[in-house]
Amino acid sequence: MKAVLTGSHFMLGDIACAEGALAAGCNFFGGYPITPATETAERMALRLPQVGGHYIQMEDEIASLAAVLGASCAGAKAMTATSGPGFSLMQENIGLGIVTETPCVIVNVQRGGPSTGLPTLAGQADMMQAKWGSHGDYEAIAYVPNSCQEMFDFTIKAFNTAEKYRQPVFVMADEIIGHMTERVVIPGPKKIKLVSRKRPKGKKNYLPFKPDKDLIPPMALAGEGYGIHITGLTHDARGYPVIDEETQHEMVTRLIEKIRRHAPKIWEFEEVETEDADIVVVSYGAASRSAGRAVNIARKEGIKAGLMRLITAWPFPEKRIKELAESAKAFVVPEINMGQISREVERFASGRVLSVTHAGGGMLSPEAVLQKIKEVAK
Amino acid sequence: MSAKGAGNEGKIETVEGHPLDHILRQDRLPHIWCPGCGLGSAMTCFAQAIERVDIPLKKQVLLSGIGCTGRIAGYVNVDSYHTTHGRAIPFATGLKIANPELCVTVFSGDGDLFAIGGNHFLHAARRNVDINVICVNNFNYGMTGGQQGPTTPVEAKTTTTRYGSFEHPFNLPYLAAAIGAVYVSRWTTLHCRHLEKSMEKALQKKGFTFIEIVSPCPTGFGRPNKLGEGLEELRYYREKSVIKNDASWDEMDLHMRGEEPIVVGDFLDTEKPTYLELEEQMLRKRGFMK
Ligand SMILES: Cc1ncc(C[n+]2csc(CCOP(=O)(O)OP(=O)(O)O)c2C)c(N)n1
Ligand code: SF4
């Protein structure tokens, strides 16, 4: 069986995510069933053995991410897929992945929360958890798909980014996108650009955490004879624990800079009619579909509205928000939560930010967005 | 060391190194463990074992969780991973499945493996993942200051059981055998030769193996429970240990007080297909593997 199912398909979002992972070279999946992410796991259980990979159903999400990190350390392109409660359980090991610079992909098909919340209904309320969920300072990378095609495409992007920057990367989908069925076009394998982690160029002088100029260290795998030591403790370039202020400062600064310095290359967004927009609607994921419709109607009614749709929520494309803020009168931020990314927009858009909130459980309507646009336009 | 005062200048032979030096990360020594702690002996046995077995050091991977025992991964000179508290077993599971050529050992404390990590231990044993788990049981949480753990015996004093522990502890070999380990043994740090042999066996055996090492923690457990310093506890082991390979499961309970024996031995050695072997079997049956 082929890893890349080239052709045009009518496909569920969660399944498109699994197919994207396979097209990206994923050969290890460790997970624990949870609605609405289960179909990704089920698809991987079916497909991975067909392409020589391994699917393992772990005992919980803590174990799932631990297994994924272990597999990555042995050279696998590894992933897990979960939803809110599982994402909460993964947070400690997300920190381990960050500090040990272990590439992997974590898909969160968000549902309504807090707690068990709405297992079968949508939410986008884990956006801040993706940024701040694990303890300590770090920079997150998160893609937010708004179609089944993007479940496929962004999962590939997530693998490539994880490999390139050597850290866990999130796909922050939502139940609506995970559970909708749409056309997905899968290109030929040669058309899919793949990135693999940087590898040491020989054993001489190799230090596991000595970065190159781009701040990213080449990664040696278990069993290659490097005799590496990898720890979740604060460590020096050798990977040895050093518990002092200077080492902490050096390590954390580099880990953060590794992402911040490259942020302009990582962040992605899409804009519709923002050139002359008085009102910029910033949205992402399922909510951005309603946002797009609201902007269309507003334009027809003569209101100068535009849409900035986030492709990466993290790193947050702050530079672009600042630029837009120079000419726009206001920002409207519709999302299926009580105003998480809205606050982030506020940080860079000098105060004129209005959120359109929805507690979760369904789609945010275009009318709600349009109403807010009209309120601002008055 | 200076030979002055010993009155035998010239007779002392200077040794350049220890035969196991290459197995330890010299640049990380001295280690952080307290005087009298059993972890040094446990590590020495492991170093001997991994050198003796017919598996290249390059293919050996050592993992641990958090705790005093968890620090062992940082001292042994093979690829090593010091993971989060309790999660070394699932980490090792992923590593082993992604590269079955590796000989994977998890070496950690009783709290790490059986409190926070208990569930992972159960499931890895049940799956018969081909990894080795070595547990240093010092009956308490050493690193965080001697609190009660899942192996603390009834009545024992710890910093969180001031009036004596009133929880029933785990009987680790019993547990391991019940949930599917293929090899189970227990030794104290006094039984160096036996322990080494057990480790050699575990390293070479296919499937989930478990070794419990009863070990002194004078700082956290020995002093408050009148077992004294490390050396005194070893004396206690000598008096109380009984080698009994066919011990019944209830005989294996550890009380660490009074006249109760410390039953040690090679308790179980059996065979069954590993996780990867079963996976392969199923896939072959369905025609996905030649
Ligand atoms: C999630 C989490 N909880 C708590 C701790 C604190 N902690 C560090 S070591 C330890 C106990 C270790 O005990 P044990 O495994 O028996 O090892 P020992 O130190 O006795 O060798 C605890 C609770 C931690 N590091 N992480
Ligand atoms: S606290 Fe106990 S286990 Fe930890 S190093 Fe000291 S003696 Fe050993």
Side-chain angles (χ1 to χ4, degrees):
Chain A
M1 268 304 234
K2 282 189 280 182
V4 184
L5 298 185
T6 305
S8 178
H9 308 264
F10 200 48
M11 212 176 240
L12 192 80
D14 279 352
I15 290 180
C17 169
E19 289 302 332
L22 293 163
C26 174
N27 52 1
F28 184 93
F29 184 101
Y32 190 79
I34 184 166
T35 308
T38 318
E39 294 87 351
T40 303
E42 288 171 352
R43 182 70 165 192
M44 290 306 254
L46 173 76
R47 292 275 284 130
L48 274 170
Q50 299 173 352
V51 300
H54 299 273
Y55 166 92
I56 182 167
Q57 191 160 305
M58 297 302 290
E59 50 276 17
D60 58 32
E61 288 84 350
I62 301 176
S64 300
L65 188 54
V68 161
L69 293 176
S72 180
C73 287
K77 282 195 176 182
M79 85 176 295
T80 186
T82 189
S83 188
F87 196 55
S88 294
L89 287 185
M90 286 177 189
Q91 293 301 332
E92 191 196 15
N93 276 333
I94 288 172
L96 181 67
I98 297 275
V99 126
T100 58
E101 299 180 67
T102 306
C104 66
V105 170
I106 301 165
V107 179
N108 179 358
V109 188
Q110 297 168 81
R111 62 196 221 179
S115 191
T116 314
L118 303 169
T120 55
L121 301 175
Q124 293 185 317
D126 308 344
M127 299 308 293
M128 279 295 160
Q129 194 189 9
K131 174 64 193 85
W132 301 106
S134 198
H135 52 286
D137 268 319
Y138 60 98
E139 285 289 342
I141 303 176
Y143 291 92
V144 251
N146 90 341
S147 66
C148 296
Q149 182 67 49
E150 288 188 349
M151 286 294 267
F152 179 88
D153 295 339
F154 292 6
T155 306
I156 299 177
K157 271 182 199 285
F159 268 98
N160 287 345
T161 311
E163 292 285 320
K164 175 146 194 213
Y165 297 102
R166 280 191 63 183
Q167 83 168 35
V169 169
F170 309 126
V171 177
M172 297 299 287
D174 54 67
E175 188 273 338
I176 294 169
I177 305 301
H179 278 170
M180 69 165 49
T181 303
E182 287 180 324
R183 198 164 86 104
V184 175
V185 179
I186 301 183
K190 288 207 188 86
K191 290 253 170 67
I192 299 171
K193 194 179 142 262
L194 297 185
V195 178
S196 290
R197 65 195 73 170
K198 218 195 280 176
R199 311 274 287 114
K201 293 195 188 71
K203 295 201 175 92
K204 238 176 139 198
N205 303 327
Y206 174 69
L207 296 175
F209 294 98
K210 184 170 179 285
D212 292 336
K213 277 213 188 78
D214 60 4
L215 300 182
I216 306 160
M219 181 172 177
L221 308 176
E224 294 188 313
Y226 285 89
I228 45 174
H229 178 58
I230 308 294
T231 177
L233 288 164
T234 295
H235 50 261
D236 61 15
R238 293 171 302 177
Y240 290 5
V242 180
I243 308 303
D244 65 30
E245 255 175 81
E246 293 82 62
T247 316
Q248 168 75 356
H249 177 76
E250 198 179 314
M251 186 191 78
V252 174
T253 309
R254 178 177 67 76
L255 289 176
I256 291 218
E257 274 305 304
K258 175 174 88 167
I259 305 307
R260 285 192 190 161
R261 191 191 287 179
H262 296 107
K265 274 184 272 168
I266 302 171
W267 62 50
E268 289 187 56
F269 43 83
E270 195 183 75
E271 291 182 29
V272 184
E273 297 197 86
T274 48
E275 307 81 32
D276 64 338
D278 289 335
I279 300 160
V280 176
V281 179
V282 181
S283 193
Y284 55 93
S288 68
R289 294 170 79 117
S290 295
R293 182 165 164 75
V295 166
N296 267 341
I297 302 171
R299 275 278 169 183
K300 280 191 193 124
E301 294 184 11
I303 302 169
K304 282 192 186 168
L307 173 70
M308 179 192 183
R309 180 170 76 85
L310 304 179
I311 287 172
T312 53
W314 308 112
F316 188 72
E318 52 187 63
K319 191 163 157 272
R320 185 61 191 149
I321 298 283
K322 278 184 200 156
E323 282 167 12
L324 289 167
E326 281 167 22
S327 53
K329 286 204 202 97
F331 288 82
V332 170
V333 189
E335 46 188 343
I336 308 176
N337 59 48
M338 299 312 278
Q340 298 195 1
I341 293 294
S342 170
R343 278 206 191 186
E344 199 64 15
V345 175
E346 220 169 309
R347 289 177 62 202
F348 305 103
S350 43
R352 296 159 303 162
V353 178
L354 294 111
S355 59
V356 184
T357 59
H358 184 300
M363 186 61 159
L364 186 125
S365 72
E367 292 72 34
V369 187
L370 186 63
Q371 199 190 334
K372 192 63 88 181
I373 294 175
K374 284 184 174 164
E375 248 174 60
V376 192
K378 261 187 229 152
Chain B
M1 208 166 76
S2 161
K4 259 186 211 152
N8 53 358
E9 273 113 312
K11 283 181 198 157
I12 285 185
E13 211 184 310
T14 322
V15 184
E16 287 301 324
H18 185 275
L20 286 175
D21 274 356
H22 66 292
I23 303 207
L24 300 181
R25 292 181 195 274
Q26 296 304 314
D27 50 352
R28 285 227 46 210
L29 300 172
H31 56 64
I32 60 156
W33 298 322
C34 310
C37 177
L39 282 163
S41 317
M43 179 165 75
T44 308
C45 291
F46 183 68
Q48 298 272 16
I50 59 171
E51 197 196 35
R52 256 187 233 144
V53 292
D54 200 16
I55 305 164
L57 284 174
K58 195 181 141 165
K59 294 291 165 203
Q60 306 253 9
V61 186
L62 182 61
L63 298 101
S64 62
I66 304 298
C68 296
T69 315
R71 291 302 184 100
I72 198 167
Y75 298 134
V76 181
N77 197 13
V78 293
D79 287 338
S80 48
Y81 295 87
H82 182 220
T83 67
T84 41
H85 192 25
R87 319 302 173 194
I89 289 179
F91 195 108
T93 301
L95 196 105
K96 175 72 189 181
I97 292 173
N99 184 354
E101 280 178 10
L102 303 174
C103 172
V104 178
T105 303
V106 172
F107 207 131
S108 215
D110 49 278
D112 185 76
L113 289 167
F114 292 98
I116 192 163
N119 200 33
H120 308 311
F121 182 84
L122 301 186
H123 291 278
R126 171 181 66 76
R127 294 184 185 110
N128 199 22
V129 185
D130 185 12
I131 60 174
N132 315 300
V133 175
I134 303 172
C135 173
V136 171
N137 181 5
N138 53 24
F139 307 98
N140 79 116
Y141 286 8
M143 183 156 267
T144 36
Q147 296 84 14
Q148 177 198 34
T151 53
T152 304
V154 172
E155 268 190 44
K157 294 254 171 66
T158 70
T159 49
T160 49
T161 55
R162 298 292 174 135
Y163 314 106
S165 177
F166 38 83
E167 286 188 18
H168 297 288
F170 272 133
N171 172 335
L172 298 179
Y174 187 11
L175 177 70
I179 57 182
V182 292
Y183 175 73
V184 179
S185 78
R186 169 199 280 159
W187 303 102
T188 74
T189 49
L190 183 75
H191 297 84
C192 280
R193 295 286 164 266
H194 293 91
L195 179 56
E196 264 170 55
K197 281 267 165 303
S198 271
M199 286 174 167
E200 283 177 43
K201 200 167 195 175
L203 288 165
Q204 286 163 310
K205 190 161 174 88
K206 260 196 301 185
F208 187 92
T209 69
F210 177 65
I211 300 173
E212 175 184 11
I213 308 173
V214 174
S215 171
C217 167
T219 312
F221 192 77
R223 280 179 217 135
N225 290 293
K226 313 246 169 343
L227 289 166
E229 295 303 314
L231 201 57
E232 289 168 67
E233 190 161 338
L234 289 184
R235 271 193 210 109
Y236 177 77
Y237 294 168
R238 192 173 59 193
E239 276 169 35
K240 299 284 181 260
S241 301
V242 192
I243 299 180
K244 201 168 176 198
N245 296 329
D246 58 352
S248 67
W249 301 119
D250 52 338
E251 281 178 295
M252 290 173 197
D253 282 339
L254 291 174
H255 303 274
M256 302 310 283
R257 66 186 146 87
E259 289 311 302
E260 304 283 351
I262 300 171
V263 175
V264 295
D266 240 349
F267 300 131
L268 177 74
D269 191 353
T270 178
E271 305 283 333
K272 72 175 173 191
T274 65
Y275 176 86
L276 283 169
E277 283 170 345
L278 276 178
E279 182 195 44
E280 197 182 317
Q281 255 182 47
M282 297 305 137
L283 295 180
R284 245 181 240 292
K285 251 192 210 168
R286 306 291 185 291
F288 285 111
M289 274 176 129
K290 269 167 225 107

